[in-house]
Structure formats: C-alpha cells, structure tokens
C-alpha cells in the first residue's frame, strides 16, 4: 500500500465509499429541479408561442432543436475538461446562463429572439449536467445507480412542474410573467456554490491505484466503443420518442380530443411527472439485480403501450402516456451507471456524452416530427414513433462488465 496515504485519509476514503453523502445528493437533486423547471417552462408555453407569434409546427420543432442542440453540443467537452481539471463552480455558472435565457424569453418580441433565448437556456444545461452528474457520482458512496436516480428525479420533477406552473401563471397572465421565475435560478446558483465547495474539498483526497479494492476496472478501447455505440442506440430509441411527447403532446390532445390549452398542460404535467418516477425505480433496482435487466425491461417494456396509444380514447391516452413515461425513464440511471462503470476514469466525459446525445437527438427528433406534422397531421407522428422502443432489442448485445451490478 502506498505510504503517502495516511491512515486517516484511508479511513475517510473507505467511509466515503460506503456511505452516500445524502445531504449533497439532495442539494444537487433540488438544484436540478430548479434548473429544469426553467427549461420546462419553455416547452410548456409552446401553444401560447404558436398562437402569439403565428408559428408552424416546424418552427416549434426548431425551438426544441435550438435548445437541445446547444444543450448537447458542449456537454461532452465540458465533462472531458472537468475530468482533467475539475471546475467545481461551473455548476453555478451554468445556472447563470439559464437565468439570462429565461429573462430574455420573458420579453422576446419575435421568433429569432425566442431562438436566442432558447439557445442560452440550452448552454446553461450543457454546463450544468456533466459536472452535476460527476458530483452525484462522488457523493454516491458506491451506490452509483441510486445516486444517479436521486440526481435525475430532481430534474424530472422540475420538468413536470413546468406545465403546471405554465397553466397556473404563464397562460393566464402572459409571457412576461416568466421573469417571476428568476428567483428559482438564483436559489439554484446559491445551492450549487455550496455543492461546489464540498466537491473542491473532496477532490483533495486522491485515491492511488495501489489501493486495490478501490481501483476501477479497466476495459479495452474496443469493448468501450462497442458498448457505447449500443448505449447511444438505446438512448436514441428512448429520447426521440420522449421528445415527441414533450413537444407535441399538448397539440395532440387539443387536435384529437379538443381539450383546452390549460387542460392539455395538466395532461402534460401527469406525463412529465411519470418521467420523474421512473428513475426512482430503475436506479436502485439496477444496483441490486443488474443494469442490463433494467435496461431490457425499460426500453422494450414500453413497446406494447406505444403501439396502442394512437388508438386510445382520452382517458386511456392519459393512462398509457403515464405508463410509457415511467417505463422509458427508468432505464437512464442504469444506462448512465453502466457507462460510468465502463469508463471509470472519465466520469464527467461519459456523463456529458450521454446527456448531450440525449438532448441532441431529442432536439433533432422534435424538429423532424414537427416538419412531418406540418406535412401530414399531429396524430400521424405517434403512429410513426410507436415502433422506436423495438430498438431496445440491441440490449442483448450489450457486453457484461466485471461488476456484478452490470450483469443481466
């Protein structure tokens, strides 16, 4: 054993490896909630923006593409840089970009200005997610799936609250009331400063390779590339479908069932809240029975419900979308924890890569579906994307890692 490690520091390492830092995990999760409330408000006010600025579905898709493209573009680079040179205060900086984007969106006078505001909100997301995921990994105490679930559920609850807040505040009182939510971003920045201080202190404790029971497993570059390509395909199947619901579900309900804009937002809230529940199930179960089992059940398990959805009445549409949201979202903590086990020396980079790809491919999918809806109908896109979960069959080819938690 390396004598440079004192007995005290080894004790701290072993303690940290066994006991999750729940106070830090809760702070990260709540900050994620505040961050994603702001981002969700953008999507929630799509019907209002469409009518106020006379936008087509293609332009609505372009807003999603702009936000999610900037949210995806920088994430792997931010994560890679942070792996080499930890930037603990970048968490608060990311929230600052989100704040500026929100304030600009509240007073946007035209479509181009909306796109610019959406781009800034996306940049905030690209800076926030990789470092926040890395901080959750540090605070996990070795329970990586659980930690990622706690982190994700905050963001998903925030995403779910967006439509509810839009229905209660933005739709009745107008676009300018978006500025009221600036306080959420400021509170998030304050909490993330505290998280950054904790991370900075923990980066000082170096774990040497000679401490064998804490040494991460190593995998060949070929195995890592092969496994990552499958994970990317699985994320494609999940997030393109989820993006179609997040961007166009309200329009689908209004078009097919003639519900009001406010009621459509309540249905959207129920769907997005179901996405918040999924990670709470998938992450801890993946820690116990294996990541691959959770990925199998999650991605393929949604297929029967996505096939039935286009033919359901209003009541069953609400029920089916909740089931789809829970099942599809339960896989991402397992996917992320699997990837982090695959590349344990590049936690920030691989987290940024997967988050970035999820945002990016979701934005591209939303833009394509928006154009398709203009050419056909809003109902037609749900017939097309119903088959996406079948890509989950690729889980069969996902390599088994040395960790028992990754074995199906």
């Amino acid at each position: 054993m390396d004598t440079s490690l004192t007995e005290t520091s080894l004790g701290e390492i072993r303690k940290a490896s066994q006991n999750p830092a729940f106070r830090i995990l809760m702070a990260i999760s709540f900050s994620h909630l505040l961050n994603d409330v702001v981002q969700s408000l953008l999507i929630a006010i799509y019907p209002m923006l469409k009518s106020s600025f006379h936008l087509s579905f293609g332009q609505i898709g372009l807003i999603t593409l702009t936000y999610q493209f900037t949210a995806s573009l920088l994430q792997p680079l931010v994560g890679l840089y942070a792996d080499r040179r930890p930037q603990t205060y970048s968490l608060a900086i990311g929230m600052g970009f989100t704040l500026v984007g929100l304030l600009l969106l509240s007073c946007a006078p035209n479509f181009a200005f909306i796109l610019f505001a959406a781009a800034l909100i996306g940049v905030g997301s690209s800076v926030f997610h990789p470092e926040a995921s890395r901080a959750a990994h540090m605070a996990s105490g070795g329970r990586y799936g659980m930690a990622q679930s706690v982190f994700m559920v905050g963001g998903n609850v925030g995403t779910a609250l967006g439509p509810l807040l839009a229905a209660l505040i933005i739709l009745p009182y107008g676009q300018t009331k978006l500025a009221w939510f600036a306080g959420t971003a400021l509170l998030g920045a304050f909490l993330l400063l505290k998280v950054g201080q904790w991370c900075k202190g923990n980066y000082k404790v170096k774990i040497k390779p000679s401490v064998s029971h804490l040494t991460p497993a190593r995998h060949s570059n070929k195995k890592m590339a092969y496994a990552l390509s499958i994970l990317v395909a699985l994320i494609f199947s999940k997030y393109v479908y989820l993006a179609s619901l997040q961007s166009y579900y309200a329009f689908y309900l209004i078009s097919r069932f003639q519900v009001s804009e406010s009621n459509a937002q309540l249905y959207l809230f129920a769907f997005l809240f179901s996405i918040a529940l999924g990670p709470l199930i998938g992450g801890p179960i993946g820690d116990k029975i294996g990541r691959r089992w959770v990925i199998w059940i999650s991605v393929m398990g949604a297929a029967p419900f996505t096939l039935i959805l286009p033919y359901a009445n209003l009541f069953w549409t609400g029920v089916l979308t909740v089931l789809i949201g829970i099942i599809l979202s339960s896989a991402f903590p397992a996917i992320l924890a699997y990837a982090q086990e695959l590349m344990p020396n590049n936690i920030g980079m691989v987290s940024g890569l997967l988050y970035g790809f999820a945002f990016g491919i979701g934005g591209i999918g939303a833009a394509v579906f928006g154009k398709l809806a203009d050419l056909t109908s809003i109902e037609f896109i749900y017939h097309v994307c119903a088959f996406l979960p079948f890509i989950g069959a690729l889980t069969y080819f996902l390599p088994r890692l040395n960790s028992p938690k990754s074995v199906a």
Side-chain angles (χ1 to χ4, degrees):
M1 183 178 292
D2 194 323
T3 57
S4 65
L5 283 173
T6 66
E7 189 174 325
T8 301
S9 65
L10 276 174
E12 290 173 352
I13 292 170
R14 292 193 181 98
K15 184 178 179 181
S17 69
Q18 296 169 0
N19 300 315
F22 284 109
R23 179 175 59 87
I24 298 301
L25 287 175
M26 291 299 105
I28 296 169
S29 182
F30 187 63
S31 300
H32 198 184
L33 182 152
L34 297 174
N35 182 75
D36 285 22
V37 159
V38 174
Q39 296 175 8
S40 180
L41 285 171
L42 170 63
I43 295 175
I45 63 171
Y46 278 176
M48 183 180 70
L49 294 177
K50 188 176 188 298
S51 60
S52 298
F53 295 94
H54 308 290
L55 306 179
S56 66
F57 285 118
Q59 288 174 306
I60 293 293
L62 188 57
I63 297 173
T64 301
L65 175 60
T66 300
Y67 152 62
Q68 297 198 182
F69 182 74
T70 56
S72 67
L73 187 63
L74 297 177
Q75 287 204 39
L77 299 176
V78 170
L80 181 61
Y81 184 79
D83 283 331
R84 303 293 182 265
R85 300 187 179 196
Q87 303 294 311
T88 55
Y89 297 109
S90 64
L91 291 167
I93 294 171
M95 192 69 77
F97 277 102
T98 301
L99 171 62
V100 174
L102 173 70
L103 293 175
L104 291 178
L105 184 64
S106 70
C107 60
N110 53 51
F111 179 63
F113 211 88
I114 292 171
L115 290 180
F116 180 65
L120 286 178
I121 293 173
V123 169
S125 180
S126 71
V127 175
F128 169 80
H129 282 96
E131 187 65 18
S133 180
R134 231 159 60 88
H137 184 88
M138 288 178 59
S140 69
R143 296 169 62 185
Y144 303 125
M146 179 278 298
Q148 295 304 324
S149 292
V150 172
F151 169 60
M152 289 177 197
V153 78
N156 290 338
V157 169
T159 299
L161 288 174
L164 187 62
L165 294 171
L168 295 175
I169 299 173
I170 310 302
L171 295 181
Y173 300 108
Q175 177 184 344
T176 57
K177 299 304 181 287
L178 284 166
W180 289 3
F181 294 94
T184 63
L186 289 172
L187 176 59
F190 173 77
L191 289 174
L192 291 172
L193 282 173
K194 298 297 183 182
V195 171
Q197 291 172 354
W198 179 86
C199 291
K200 186 176 182 180
N202 279 267
Y203 283 133
K204 294 177 181 178
V205 180
K206 304 297 184 182
I207 301 176
K208 302 295 184 181
S210 55
V211 187
S212 59
H213 72 289
L214 291 174
T215 301
R218 296 183 181 276
H219 306 285
S220 67
N221 291 336
K222 183 178 179 180
K223 184 176 184 178
M224 288 191 291
Y226 177 68
L228 281 176
S229 66
I230 295 174
L231 294 179
V232 163
L234 297 177
I235 289 173
F236 172 86
S237 70
K238 287 165 48 63
Y239 276 87
V240 171
Y241 190 89
L242 290 175
S244 74
L245 279 174
Q246 287 177 331
S247 296
Y248 303 112
Y249 185 37
F251 296 113
Y252 175 76
L253 295 172
I254 293 169
S255 172
R256 185 167 182 201
F257 302 111
Q258 291 76 52
V259 302
S260 67
E261 287 188 12
S262 295
N263 285 338
Q265 294 301 325
L266 296 179
Y267 277 90
L268 182 58
F269 164 75
F271 164 68
L272 294 175
F273 190 77
S274 73
I275 295 178
L277 295 178
L280 284 177
I281 300 169
I285 291 177
D287 283 338
K288 292 182 179 297
I289 70 171
R291 321 275 186 224
R292 295 175 79 254
W293 276 118
V294 173
I295 297 170
W296 260 120
I297 296 168
S298 171
V299 184
M300 289 292 289
F305 304 115
T306 61
L307 291 173
I308 297 170
L309 180 64
Y311 307 99
N313 61 23
L314 178 61
F315 172 79
W316 284 108
T317 294
V319 172
L320 289 170
T321 51
V322 166
L323 291 173
I324 290 168
I326 292 173
I327 295 170
L328 283 180
S329 64
S330 66
F332 197 70
I335 290 174
L336 190 58
Y338 178 98
Q340 290 175 342
E341 289 176 2
L342 184 71
M343 302 179 66
N345 296 318
N346 298 99
I347 300 297
M349 187 275 287
V350 74
S351 301
L353 176 67
L354 295 185
Y355 269 111
F357 182 77
F359 277 106
I361 199 63
I364 293 171
V368 171
F369 284 135
K371 189 64 177 177
L372 183 62
D374 284 332
L375 295 174
T376 56
S377 68
I378 198 70
E379 292 88 354
F380 181 71
I381 65 174
Y382 292 105
H383 288 276
V384 173
C385 63
F387 297 92
L388 286 171
F390 287 98
I391 297 175
L394 290 173
T395 305
Y396 177 81
F397 301 101
L398 201 61
R400 290 168 172 79
L401 304 183
N402 295 332
S403 168
K405 295 176 183 178
S406 302
V407 178

